[in-house]
Amino acid sequence: VVGKLNAREVFDLIVDRAWNNGEPGIIFIDRINEDNPTPWLGEIEATNPCGEQPLLPYEACNLGSINLALMLNDKNEFDWDKLDQTVFKAVHFLDNVVEVNNYPLPAIDKMTRSTRKIGLGVMGWADALIKMGIPYNSQEAVDLAEKVMQHVNDAAEQASMRLAQVRGIYPALHECPDVSNYPNIRNAARTTIAPTGTLSIIADCSSGVEPLFAVAFERWQADMRMKDVNPVFREMMEEEGIEVTDEMIDRIMKVGTIAHMDDIPERIRKVFTTAHDVQPEWHVKMQAAFQKYTNNAVSKTVNLPHDATKADVEQVYWLAYKLGCKGVTLYRDGSREEQVLSTGASYKKDEPKTATLEAMPPQDGVPSLQVQQAVIPRKRPDTTTGFTDRIKIGCGKLYVTVNYDEQGVCEVFTNTGRAGGCPSQSEATARLVSLALRAGIDVKAIVGQLKGIRCPSTIGKGLGCTSCPDAIGRLIERVSKQIDAKSISLDEKGVVYDQVEVTPIGATEPEFVQGQGKCPECGKPVEHESGCVTCRNCGYSKCG
């Protein structure tokens, strides 16, 4: 029937995709609207990217987090008075942010000041539990989570009501047709639990309400791998008089957990429960405990081992719904080619593989999906070597980079010059070509599809190419031919092949690109700045 989908088939497809690479997450939009603090302004249709902040059109995120590990007293018990004082200051601060912020659009300015929503949350939860000697995957931890978040939520509401007495209620409340059912409060919503990825790194604490990802792990930062060891683990080991050596760190990093290490005291092993030590149901129970006393939503990831099944994914979704969560995301270890945090035990994909998609049986007259053989591209190599051509196209200049590794041509990058062009189309072509190359598709077949494609902007200009795809295909072909002729060595890295001459397309200036420190688009030096990689020559930015 036109306009209708089979619910079971859609759900199965969501489960399949989440199992495959962690996307999409799932939200329960009806439940979110049940808690909509301003229903007279409209229904909520979406959340921010991490799922914790349901918002109306043109509302803005305004988030802050309290480090719970710093809310303990010298007996490692919660100092409730200190937590109250911190919440009051945080609510005051976030309300100030709404007032002094410069908004990019008048509509955002108007809507954000009208509802004045803030999102005060927490982080350092795993660190706090460790200091208190409570395992993350325990009922004691879940019960304490409810108590802590109820305290934060109540204190945030009181703080916002006090602000309303001085500064006034949020303006949208004046429009409410049944204002007697709503408190006189400064902020329509007060609490949210965000992932706090960057914040927790700055604060040197565990992120959000997650368990520790690992006691020691590698972190990708600005194209570099850095070793990271939990600071509370170091502190507790020092209390035991045990040095945390590089050798110990390397052993921990192989699996991420310390549960198997007999040279670490049992009391420490007991509380340093990592994400993969925690069964999926405990992940969901913890999220539900915090959600119970959170105005908005909770960002939380259920970590699954690589061998988890699609049935495991489905069970996580159903349990999240039954326990009152507003949504849930999950990630199966190793299901993506690259992941920001990893341990030595993380599953890695090195070579192209084939995966069979399960056939779905017909339901309610809907034809079943056909069984397909899917080719999974091999992992992108850490280091590649290649060439960049600057090519004249109908609307300016196009920089095309073709890289290769020990198996041959493996990827393509493009970037347009300052005069403009079609950057999204040429980038899309380059990405798809790169996937095809690493999936083992014949180079000649790819070139045959690209060469000869025509663009109206090149007509009558006497250029050396007929379009952006044509230029990409021509450079791939030239590099591939030189590889076949053994003019380029595939087994030597870090060598500048000055003797190799690549015939330019039209009046181009070929430049050699290799290793790190060179722009993948134009070959010029790049700069590491503010956690990103940028090129001042052509404007390339790895962060977009």
Side-chain angles (χ1 to χ4, degrees), residues 272-301:
F272 273 88
T273 310
T274 64
H276 288 290
D277 295 328
V278 177
Q279 293 297 314
E281 59 266 27
W282 287 109
H283 280 285
V284 180
K285 286 180 180 179
M286 188 63 75
Q287 179 176 342
F290 277 100
Q291 181 64 77
K292 187 174 181 179
Y293 296 103
T294 300
N295 297 148
N296 294 307
V298 178
S299 179
K300 175 83 177 69
T301 300

Side-chain angles (χ1 to χ4, degrees), residues 8 11-12 14-16 18-19 26 28 279-285 302 304 308-325 328-330:
R8 182 71 219 189
F11 182 69
D12 287 344
I14 292 172
V15 168
D16 177 82
W19 177 87
I26 192 169
F28 308 121
Q279 293 297 314
E281 59 266 27
W282 287 109
H283 280 285
V284 180
K285 286 180 180 179
V302 177
L304 299 176
T309 65
K310 293 176 186 178
D312 295 328
V313 174
E314 182 172 337
Q315 288 176 8
V316 167
Y317 283 163
W318 280 117
L319 183 60
Y321 181 78
K322 291 175 181 177
L323 294 184
C325 296
V328 66
T329 60
L330 54 86

Side-chain angles (χ1 to χ4, degrees), residues 5-58:
L5 296 173
N6 182 284
R8 182 71 219 189
E9 187 176 58
V10 172
F11 182 69
D12 287 344
L13 187 58
I14 292 172
V15 168
D16 177 82
R17 293 298 85 199
W19 177 87
N20 187 64
N21 69 355
E23 298 289 352
I26 192 169
I27 61 171
F28 308 121
I29 197 69
D30 52 346
R31 180 167 291 157
I32 285 175
N33 275 292
E34 287 174 4
D35 290 340
N36 182 355
T38 56
W40 63 92
L41 297 180
E43 287 191 355
I44 294 172
E45 298 178 352
T47 70
N48 69 334
C50 292
E52 78 276 7
Q53 193 67 23
L55 293 169
L56 294 169
Y58 296 106

Side-chain angles (χ1 to χ4, degrees), residues 415-432:
N415 192 42
T416 54
R418 295 179 181 176
C422 308
S424 60
Q425 295 181 31
S426 56
E427 181 183 352
T429 302
R431 289 190 179 194
L432 289 172

